[in-house]
Amino acid sequence: MEAEWPWRKGPDEVGCNLALGHLLENLPRRLTVNGRIHAETYISAVGAIAGYAAQKTLFAESPPVMGVNINRVGVASGEQYWFGDTLNFMLVPKTDADANRCVWSLAAGGAVSAGMQGQQMPGLDAMFKHVASTIGGTSEGKSSVVVQHQAHLPARELLKAVWPLALTCFSGKFPGAGREYPAAPVTWWSAIAAYASNRPIRDVKDVLPPDIALTLLMETAIYCSKLDQSKVEGASAS
């Protein structure tokens, strides 16, 4: 898989490689409680980071212009969410050339490697519809999977818990490391997080069927890609 990394042989290769390695290593540790990790929460956390990183990369490359490349949708509570094809194509490849940058293709590859058969592949349309239909309701931030396979936290709360770790991995400033490593530019965050979605599905295959893991991961990614940055990082988020 290394040969397919889109940042390979580029000026940001070292920083991106380190960010990916540290994210894969440290996210499970962040979620381990009493020596154990809840598979569904772990997979959902991977999806949360991937979805939100996709939004961050998109807005860094193409600042949002309402009605042109993105839309804002409000709900009764007054909260606003991002919708639009440009955002969706950060998650789902528009062309084959985009497959090594998008969470859907990389996470699905992990699910197939974990034993998922073609007929078990979750439907993308159904996942996007589920996320859109639950926003503003009591099931917001929860996956469509059965209750026993839900994460321990709704997606937004889970993202708030793990995003600071993702930022540390992207920054190259690791506590106790004794030195700073090259940072991964925000333009690569989406691709790095997408690659970080492949292995976890294989890691939990003995306790979580890969088709369920893929649904959890992808629906969480879709939802978190829509969140207002000020609601995740605070009022100072840009």
Side-chain angles (χ1 to χ4, degrees):
M1 183 175 295
E2 182 177 353
E4 299 176 1
W5 289 344
W7 56 81
R8 189 168 183 261
K9 295 185 178 180
D12 303 313
E13 180 175 14
V14 173
C16 291
N17 288 351
L18 286 169
L20 175 59
H22 281 279
L23 190 55
L24 287 169
E25 180 181 359
N26 289 298
L27 183 59
R29 293 178 182 176
R30 171 67 179 82
L31 296 169
T32 297
V33 178
N34 297 325
R36 303 187 67 178
I37 187 168
H38 183 247
E40 288 86 350
T41 302
Y42 173 35
I43 292 298
S44 297
V46 172
I49 291 172
Y52 192 63
Q55 183 200 116
K56 297 287 280 190
T57 292
L58 174 65
F59 289 174
E61 294 176 339
S62 304
V65 179
M66 239 63 71
V68 177
N69 64 350
I70 200 77
N71 293 296
R72 292 271 269 178
V73 175
V75 297
S77 66
E79 291 209 43
Q80 302 281 316
Y81 299 83
W82 298 106
F83 282 81
D85 286 343
T86 54
L87 184 57
N88 296 342
F89 287 137
M90 294 296 295
L91 306 173
V92 180
K94 187 176 183 180
T95 67
D96 290 343
D98 297 327
N100 68 342
R101 298 168 181 260
C102 294
V103 61
W104 169 248
S105 44
L106 292 162
V112 171
S113 296
M116 185 183 73
Q117 302 299 308
Q119 67 273 18
Q120 297 174 307
M121 183 74 73
L124 270 171
D125 286 347
M127 289 191 283
F128 275 97
K129 287 178 181 177
H130 168 78
V131 172
S133 67
T134 56
I135 284 177
T138 57
S139 295
E140 178 176 333
K142 296 181 180 180
S143 174
S144 63
V145 302
V146 294
V147 64
Q148 59 264 37
H149 284 307
Q150 295 289 337
H152 281 163
L153 290 173
R156 187 189 320 215
E157 284 68 28
L158 187 55
L159 176 62
K160 288 180 180 180
V162 298
W163 184 247
L165 171 64
L167 286 178
T168 297
C169 295
F170 294 142
S171 73
K173 300 177 181 179
F174 305 106
R179 56 169 289 191
E180 286 188 15
Y181 294 93
V186 66
T187 52
W188 287 120
W189 290 5
S190 180
I192 293 167
Y195 266 91
S197 72
N198 180 279
R199 194 173 81 187
I201 292 179
R202 292 179 279 131
D203 289 344
V204 302
K205 66 178 182 178
D206 292 337
V207 294
L208 185 61
D211 58 317
I212 295 176
L214 180 57
T215 301
L216 268 173
L217 192 154
M218 196 63 197
E219 287 181 343
T220 308
I222 294 168
Y223 173 75
C224 288
S225 74
K226 300 182 181 302
L227 294 176
D228 189 297
Q229 292 182 15
S230 68
K231 301 298 183 180
V232 176
E233 303 173 63
S236 62
S238 57

